[in-house]
Amino acid sequence: MDLIKEINNLKHKKNAIILTHCYQNIEIDSVSDYVGDSFYLSKMASKSDADIIVFAGVYFMAQSAKLLSPEKKVLLPNMKSGCLMADMIDAEKLQEFKSKNPNIPVVCYINSTAEVKALSDICCTSSNAIDIVKSLNANKVLFVPDTYLGKYVESKLKDVEVITYNGFCPTHLRIRVEDIELARKNHPEALILAHPECHKEVVKGADFTGSTKEIMEFAKTSKNKKFIIATEKGVADRLKRDYPEKEFILINEKVTCPNMKMNTLYDIYNVLLNEENEITIKEDVFKPARKCLEKMLGQ
Ligand code: 13P
Ligand code: SF4
């Protein structure tokens, strides 16, 4: 069976679109309508007039698409593909964190469950976190779940204390400062591009820090010819494909997110055919979680 052809036929027949995060297996791009980072994909989900969205990403991304497009059927190719960081905090733990730090606005990274979003004041992604925290005009904010992104934001803002929850991304923490030092030594002419979920020392040692899409944009527009990619492998794979005249080196072979890689073309075909793995969100959580996301998009 020609999976790509079959998926494209089903998409056409069912008025479906496929949103794909840049960390997905690269062959999924061949059936995708939009490929990008979490912020870009949330915007596309909210604008689309499709009847079905297949979200090739992790669970919280499909959940966010459902929150922003309640009238659409949102399908996740593989229900096991959750984000390990998002699962580090739940409603109960957030309540506890809030009661230890009362009367402080809560910013939640989009890598969080709908329950956590429902208890937060505003959402952010790695591409807008600094602006979102700034927009609150507060001298203290609580930031969940990623301590590294939260502390990165704090380092970029004067006079704002960012109190972070102790969540983290196991994939990005596999990049060590020693990798940066080695890359500098072996490739002195290369620019190092890092995601803000990395260790503080890794970010400090990089030439540019940004979301996956920002990293890709930087590599595209830079006059430099060689880059070290300090984020998930999918970004390096796409850069190599799209800009063969430049050189991209993944900082180490361990930077792959196993959960992102769970979705396959066959899973996509299957969920589209049978309209399975539909995302549903509890009624009491839906409205406040949607508000938290919409607030971000309105900024
Ligand atoms: P982006 O916001 O850059 O898409 O990152 C999402 C993510 O899961 C990073 O690990
Ligand atoms: Fe979650 Fe990290 Fe995977 Fe991103 S790379 S989806 S933060 S576990």
Side-chain angles (χ1 to χ4, degrees):
M1 175 167 64
D2 182 345
L3 271 181
I4 296 177
K5 200 168 144 208
E6 292 300 324
I7 292 170
N8 284 330
N9 285 344
L10 283 169
K11 268 171 56 178
H12 188 67
K13 198 163 120 196
K14 300 193 177 205
N15 188 27
I17 57 163
I18 300 179
L19 304 183
T20 299
H21 192 271
C22 318
Y23 294 174
Q24 291 290 291
N25 290 307
I26 198 163
E27 66 267 20
I28 292 179
D29 289 11
S30 52
V31 293
S32 304
D33 297 273
Y34 303 100
V35 181
D37 67 0
S38 337
F39 183 61
Y40 172 73
L41 296 175
S42 320
K43 273 201 313 201
M44 292 305 128
S46 71
K47 283 184 183 164
S48 159
D49 56 8
D51 294 317
I52 297 179
I53 294 177
V54 178
F55 210 117
V58 283
Y59 193 86
F60 78 82
M61 294 178 178
Q63 220 181 27
S64 301
K66 180 68 187 173
L67 288 167
L68 293 166
S69 303
E71 72 293 348
K72 296 179 189 115
K73 214 176 232 187
V74 178
L75 311 174
L76 184 66
N78 185 324
M79 279 306 214
K80 289 193 189 124
S81 59
C83 164
L84 297 172
M85 178 206 286
D87 293 339
M88 288 178 185
I89 187 166
D90 57 16
E92 203 181 316
K93 288 178 185 155
L94 176 53
Q95 286 291 21
E96 207 180 299
F97 186 54
K98 282 169 76 163
S99 41
K100 277 190 195 146
N101 301 280
N103 306 318
I104 304 175
V106 182
V107 179
C108 72
Y109 189 21
I110 195 164
N111 296 37
S112 56
T113 61
E115 284 76 9
V116 165
K117 288 184 177 76
L119 291 170
S120 302
D121 294 287
I122 190 163
C123 191
C124 77
T125 71
S126 55
S127 58
N128 62 17
I130 298 170
D131 290 338
I132 294 290
V133 170
K134 226 196 270 177
S135 75
L136 294 173
N137 284 320
N139 53 12
K140 275 186 191 181
V141 300
L142 299 185
F143 194 96
V144 301
D146 188 12
T147 185
Y148 292 91
L149 178 61
K151 286 296 167 194
Y152 170 72
V153 170
E154 185 180 62
S155 75
K156 295 286 168 195
L157 294 173
K158 269 197 228 139
D159 309 324
V160 187
E161 185 186 351
V162 181
I163 304 167
T164 63
Y165 190 75
N166 57 7
F168 57 88
C169 166
T171 297
H172 282 91
L173 293 196
R174 286 190 206 122
I175 306 171
R176 321 293 304 185
V177 71
E178 293 78 13
D179 294 323
I180 299 281
E181 287 161 3
L182 196 67
R184 282 266 181 248
K185 192 169 150 240
N186 293 342
H187 310 281
E189 71 285 28
L191 291 178
I192 302 179
L193 317 182
H195 196 280
E197 286 175 13
C198 293
H199 283 287
K200 190 168 111 200
E201 294 73 22
V202 169
V203 167
K204 227 190 239 167
D207 296 295
F208 175 79
T209 304
S211 75
T212 47
K213 191 119 197 294
E214 286 167 341
I215 287 177
M216 292 175 93
E217 201 52 38
F218 183 95
K220 176 182 163 187
T221 51
S222 167
K223 288 200 169 63
N224 220 64
K225 290 275 177 245
K226 194 170 178 182
F227 304 87
I228 307 291
I229 303 303
T231 187
E232 214 273 346
K233 183 176 179 292
V235 172
D237 291 345
R238 285 170 176 80
L239 286 169
K240 283 179 199 169
R241 177 198 61 194
D242 296 343
Y243 309 106
E245 70 286 4
K246 296 186 177 184
E247 191 180 350
F248 300 97
I249 301 166
L250 185 64
I251 188 113
N252 74 45
E253 286 305 317
K254 290 176 284 180
V255 213
T256 117
C257 175
N259 291 20
M260 278 278 185
K261 303 296 193 224
M262 280 178 183
N263 298 314
T264 63
L265 276 175
Y266 187 72
D267 292 333
I268 293 177
Y269 167 74
N270 224 12
V271 291
L272 248 181
L273 180 71
N274 301 312
E275 299 185 26
E276 278 171 350
N277 292 0
E278 184 174 355
I279 304 290
T280 54
I281 296 165
K282 280 192 252 148
E283 221 175 290
D284 55 327
V285 167
F286 203 103
K287 244 181 153 179
R290 179 181 159 98
K291 202 169 143 202
C292 172
L293 264 170
E294 279 182 338
K295 238 171 141 182
M296 166 184 87
L297 292 174
Q299 281 298 317

